[in-house]
Amino acid sequence: MFWYDHSAGWGWFAMSVGMLLFWALIIALGVLLYRALARPGGNGAPTGPRPTGSAAEHLLAERFARGEIDEEEYRHRLAVLRENTGGSPRKSPAQGDGGA
């Protein structure tokens, strides 16, 4: 009957910490479950429309939107990207075009 006479305070402390951890775990699981089910896709994929074109075109469009390049440079680089997507390597300016 008097087994826990000298350690009753630690038992209450351990029980209190255990209860706090239990409820923190229950709340965390509830939040994670809600976030997983509240997404339209449910798999973490972006929900907006997919960008058309390559990643390079998307990056170029972002640079244009931030104002890092002007419209003329954007159109020129976009044209170069689109004509080189066929697999042919782009000539460097040092190679020239053969005097044409």
Side-chain angles (χ1 to χ4, degrees):
M1 187 159 129
F2 296 102
W3 293 342
Y4 298 109
D5 187 33
H6 299 291
S7 63
W10 288 108
W12 282 101
F13 177 75
M15 186 174 63
S16 299
V17 170
M19 186 59 83
L20 286 174
L21 290 175
F22 171 76
W23 284 111
L25 180 66
I26 294 295
I27 290 170
L29 286 175
V31 168
L32 290 175
L33 183 63
Y34 173 76
R35 290 182 72 189
L37 295 177
R39 286 193 188 134
N43 59 0
T47 58
R50 291 184 164 242
T52 58
S54 66
E57 289 180 11
H58 184 67
L59 181 62
L60 185 62
E62 285 180 359
R63 289 187 63 201
F64 177 62
R66 286 192 301 257
E68 294 176 7
I69 57 175
D70 61 356
E71 184 178 357
E72 181 182 343
E73 186 176 358
Y74 170 73
R75 292 188 186 278
H76 173 71
R77 290 181 182 221
L78 186 61
V80 169
L81 279 173
R82 287 187 176 164
E83 71 185 29
N84 287 328
T85 55
S88 62
R90 179 179 180 213
K91 288 185 180 180
S92 68
Q95 291 175 335
D97 55 15

